[in-house]
Amino acid sequence: MLISACLARGEARTSATVTAQAALTEVTLHSLLPKPSFPSSSSPTIPSSPPTHPTIPTASRSSALTSLDLLRTALSSSTNASPVDKNSAEIVRGWGLYCVAEFAEAVEVLKGCEKEAPNGGGWEGYDLTLRVLANLVEGDAHSELGNSGAALAAYKSAARVYDDAYDILTRSGGTKDDVRLRDVGERAMYAYCIASRGGEPLNSMVAHRLYLKHSSRWSPSFRTTRTLTIHNSFRSLLHASGPSKSAPEEWHADAARNNSAQEVLVRATTKLPPAGEVNAVYLAFLDSVAEGWRIGGAGRAGAAEVVEIMYNALTHTFQSQRLLRHLIHALTAKGAYEEAGKALHLYTELANKTRETDAAQVAKDARKFRQKTQAAEKGEAQGKRLELDFEKEKEAAEEEDDHDFDSDLEFVRTLTFGTRVFCKYLGKPEEGLKLARRAREIFEGSKDGTLGGEGKKVEESRIERALGVALGALTAKEADVDTRPKRHAEALRHLEAAATLDPSSWETLYHLAYQLFELRQVDAALEHARRAVELNNANRDCWHLLGLLVAAQKDFAAALQVLETALEEENTGEGTSAASSVSASGAGSPDVPVVNVFTEDGNTPSDLTEVEEGLDALELDSALSFLPSGAAKPNALEFPRDDTEELISAVQIRMTKNVVIEAMEGPDAALLDQQALFAFFSRAFEGVRDEPDTPVRSAPAASTPETTVKKASSIMGRRRSVRSTAGTPEPQTTLSPTLTVPTRAPSALSSPTQQASYSTLSLNNGGDSNGGTAVETNSRSTKLLTDLWLLSAASYRRAGKLEEARGAIQEAETLNPDDPDVWAQYALYNLAISRQDVARTSVIKALAFVPTHIPSIVILSRLYLLSNVPSQIPFAEGLLQITKREGWDIPEAWFELSRCYKETGRKEKERECLVWALQLEQSRSVRGLGCLSRLL
C-alpha cells in the first residue's frame, strides 16, 4: 500500500526515510500474514463476535519484529517528516504490533495516532485508508484483550471515519486507493455491526444502516456472504423490535429497503438450481421476507410487496412449496382471492405429489445421477474427486436440512387456512371442505413427527374447526331441505369437538356460538359467546355476537349494556369482566316491547302498518348476508383483515346498538343516535387505506354537471334529503366517499300518480338506473353506507316521517341503485302511503337483481294475499317455497305460508307453519346473523 504511494510522491517528500521504512514494513507484514478468507455459505449465519485481523504465526515473527524495530528507529530519528507521514508510519507500526500479537502495545501506539479523517490538504488516498485501519486494528486489539466496550467504541469510530473518508474522496473527484479503502471500510463496518448487536438495538440498527448504505454501491460479487449476513442481522433486529406504536412507518420503510436490496443481491448471485437441489439462499430470503411481513402486522399494504417478491422468485426456484405457502397468505391479505385460490390448488397438488413419493430420496438420487454423469465426462481421476465432493455435499444437505418440502404441520395449517379462503372470500365452501378433509387425512397419517407433542390437540382442534365452518357454509349456500339437518348436525359435532380439544380457543368458541345461534339454540350459543368474550375481550365481533344473543332472549337492556361495554372496551383497550355478568338464563326487562308479526290472539294483522312492523325485523334495515368481519388481530396471518373489514365491523355493532335503542325507546331515540352513527362512519372512513376494488355504478346524470364529493365530506352536512319539503326535493350530490356522482334532477316518482314499470323505476329520475357510469370506489364501504341510509329510512318511516324516509331511500339509491334492499325498503315506504301498485313494482325490481331476496319475496307474497283474489294465492304459495331453501329460518315467510294454507282450507299445515313461525320468532334477535361474518 505504502510503496506505490512512496513512488508517487518521489522528491516531493523530504521524509523519504520514514515513508520508505513504513512501506517496507507493510510489505513484510503482508508477506507473512495468512491470506484473509471470506468463505461463502448457502445460509449465512450471524457470528456471536466480530472477526478480528489475523496474526503472523509465531515461527515467522522474527523478520516482522526486525522490520518494526527499524520503523521505530526511523520515527524516533526523523526530524523533518511531515505530520501526516509520521502519523501514517505510526499507524503501520501499531498494526504491525497487533500482527505479532502485541495487543496491549498496539493499543498504546494507536492511541497516540490521529485517527480522524483529515480536514486540510497534504494527504493522499492511502492516508484515508490508514486512518480507518487504525481504528479497526485498535478495536481488534481491544477485542483480543477482552475489552468489548472499548472494542465497540473503536469499531464505531472506524465505521464513521470510513464514511467521512468516502465522502472526502468522492468530493475530491479521485478514485485512487478506493479499492483498498473499500476493503478496510467493509471490515470496519462489519465488525461494528456484529459488535453492536450486544448493545442497544437502536444503536445497532444505526450501524447496520451505515453498512447497507455503502453495500448498495458494491458489486454483488464483493463479499456476498458477509453482505447477506448483515442483511440477515439487520432483519433480525427489525423482527425483534417490531414496528413502534409511535412511528411504525420508519420500521416498515427499513424492512422494505432491506427486502429490495437483498433481493437484488440474491438474484444476482444465485440461479435456478439443477434437479434434486434447491436455491437455499433464495428460499431463506423468502422465509425472512414472509416473517418480517407477519411481524409487521401481515397487512394489505405490505402484502403487495411480498407478492411481488414471491413472483420474482419463480425464476430462481422450482416448484417451491414454501414459496407457494407464503404467496397464498400474501395474496389473501392483498385481496387477490382468485389468485390465492389458484395458488392453493397448485400448492395442494404439489404437496400431495410429494407425499405420494419419497421426495427427499428422489432429490438425493438426482444429485447422485448428476455426479456420476459429471464423473464420466471428466475422467476417472476427476470423477473420484467429484464423488468425494458429492459425499460432502450430501452431508451438508442433510446437516442443513436442505430441502423444499413442507412438513405435515405446515401442510395442515395451509390447508385449514385455505378452507377459510374458499369459504369466506370465494364463496366455494365445497372446495374448502375438500381441503379440510385432506387436512384430517394428513393429520391421521402423519409420520414426520411435526404433528405430535403438546401442540397436537391444538392442531387437531383447528382441523375440526375448519371442517365445522366449511360444512356450515356449504349448508347455507346450497340450502337443500334434504341435506340441511344432517350437515348442520355434522358441522355442530366438529365445532364441539374443536372446542373440547382446545377450550382456550376463543375463535372456535365464536364459530361454535355462531353455528348454535343459526340453529336457534340460543342458550347454548350464549354460553359459548360469553366464554369467547372472557378469553378475548378485545374482539369486537365476539361482543357483537354476545349482544345479539342477549337480545334474542328479549333482554334488550342487557343487550344494550353488552354493546355499550364493547364500544367502551374499544375506546379504552382495557379488560373488563362485564361479559361474565350476562346470564344465560335470559331474565331481563319484561316491559320492553318486542316487534312481532302476530297479534295477541295469533291471527293475521289486519292492516299494512302491522305487517310492515314485522317485515322490518326481517333485516331490511341493514345488511342481509354478505358483510364480513374478523378477529381483533390475535394472528393476522391466520385471520387477515383489511381496513374496510375493520370499518364494517365497527359500524355493524353500532347499527345493532341503534336497533336495540329503537326496540327500547322508539324510533325518535334511534334517529337521534343515528346522527352519531353517520358521523362515526365519516370519521372512520378517513382511516381506510385499502385500494379501490369493484367498480360501483352510479345513477345516470341529468343535464346538470357532475359534482365531486371527497372522502373528507361531512356526513352530517348531507342531511338535506331527509328534511326537504314534500314533492320538491333539492338537487343532491351523493354522500358516498370518493364517489363522483351527478347532481340530480327532481325525482320522477315525486308525484303519487306517477306510474312506472320496474325497469324504469327510480327515485332520482325517470330513466334507467342501470345506465350510469362506472366509478372506482370501495364497494364494501359503499354497501355499508347504503345500509346506514336504509336503517335511517326505516326509522323515519316508523316515526311517521314519511318524506324524510323517502329522502333517505333516495340517498341509498344514489349510492347503489342495483341493491335489492333499496327497493324492498322503497316498497315498504309505498305501502305506508297506500301505493300498493308501486310497492309491487319495487319488489319485482328487487327480485330482478336477486331472485332469492327473502324480504322482497315476503312482501310480494303478502301483497298477493292482501289482494283478496283467490287466483293470486298459488302465486304467493309458490314464492313461499323459499321456506324449504334459503328462508327456512324466516318466521315471516312461514307465517305467510300459513295464510296460504288457511285460505285453501289446509288446517293441519296451517297449524304446523304457525307453530314453527312462532318458535322462530321467539328465538330471533333484533338483527339477523348477516350483520356478522360466519368466519372470522
Side-chain angles (χ1 to χ4, degrees), residues 184-196:
V184 177
E186 189 278 335
R187 295 189 188 193
M189 293 186 298
Y190 186 86
Y192 179 32
C193 289
I194 301 304
S196 66

Side-chain angles (χ1 to χ4, degrees), residues 621-909:
D621 302 339
S622 60
L624 288 174
S625 61
F626 87 103
L627 294 178
S629 186
K633 298 181 180 178
N635 184 340
L637 195 64
E638 185 179 1
F639 299 100
R641 184 170 190 166
D642 59 24
D643 292 342
T644 304
E645 286 181 287
E646 290 287 350
L647 172 68
I648 290 170
S649 176
V651 172
Q652 285 290 351
I653 192 172
R654 287 167 170 81
M655 291 173 69
T656 298
K657 175 189 170 187
N658 183 263
V659 176
V660 171
I661 289 173
E662 180 167 348
M664 294 178 64
E665 303 177 23
D668 289 332
L671 288 169
L672 185 63
D673 180 69
Q674 284 168 20
Q675 295 181 17
L677 184 52
F678 275 100
F680 174 82
F681 178 92
S682 180
R683 185 173 64 253
F685 190 79
E686 289 293 321
V688 174
R689 299 177 298 275
D690 298 332
E691 296 178 359
D693 43 30
T694 307
V696 174
R697 304 184 70 81
S698 64
S703 57
T704 50
E706 292 187 346
T707 302
T708 300
V709 182
K710 297 183 178 179
K711 185 166 69 172
S713 299
S714 169
I715 286 181
M716 295 312 297
R718 299 296 333 290
R719 299 306 296 272
R720 181 271 323 140
S721 65
V722 296
R723 296 199 175 108
S724 58
T725 56
T728 57
E730 302 173 10
Q732 67 181 73
T733 53
T734 182
L735 188 57
S736 176
T738 72
L739 286 174
T740 301
V741 179
T743 302
R744 308 295 179 189
S747 171
L749 295 183
S750 59
S751 171
T753 61
Q754 176 69 36
Q755 301 295 323
S757 69
Y758 82 85
S759 62
T760 59
L761 186 64
S762 173
L763 279 71
N764 291 299
N765 55 44
D768 184 2
S769 294
N770 296 321
T773 56
V775 291
E776 291 295 332
T777 184
N778 186 322
S779 62
R780 291 173 294 162
S781 294
T782 302
K783 170 61 179 171
L784 184 62
L785 186 55
T786 300
D787 292 334
L788 278 175
W789 279 114
L790 296 180
L791 176 71
S792 182
S795 297
Y796 274 121
R797 179 169 40 77
R798 289 190 288 266
K801 302 176 181 180
L802 298 180
E803 188 58 31
E804 287 87 342
R806 186 188 188 284
I809 299 171
Q810 189 169 346
E811 293 280 7
E813 190 219 8
T814 299
L815 290 166
N816 191 358
D818 297 347
D819 191 336
D821 292 344
V822 173
W823 300 106
Q825 193 63 244
Y826 187 53
L828 289 176
Y829 161 78
N830 281 287
L831 288 174
I833 59 176
S834 301
R835 293 169 59 184
Q836 295 187 29
D837 290 342
V838 179
R840 184 187 301 244
T841 303
S842 297
V843 292
I844 290 175
K845 182 164 187 173
L847 292 172
F849 294 127
V850 180
T852 58
H853 191 244
I854 298 174
S856 297
I857 288 175
V858 173
I859 296 172
L860 186 56
S861 63
R862 173 58 63 98
L863 288 170
Y864 280 139
L865 291 171
L866 288 175
S867 67
N868 294 320
V869 178
S871 61
Q872 300 290 317
I873 296 177
F875 293 110
E877 186 174 342
L879 286 171
L880 292 169
Q881 296 307 303
I882 194 75
T883 55
K884 296 181 180 179
R885 301 186 304 277
E886 292 85 353
W888 70 272
D889 60 345
I890 305 299
E892 286 82 4
W894 287 99
F895 177 69
E896 298 305 324
L897 185 58
S898 75
R899 291 188 61 205
C900 292
Y901 291 142
K902 179 180 181 181
E903 295 295 329
T904 55
R906 289 173 283 181
K907 297 296 184 180
E908 184 61 29
K909 288 191 174 182

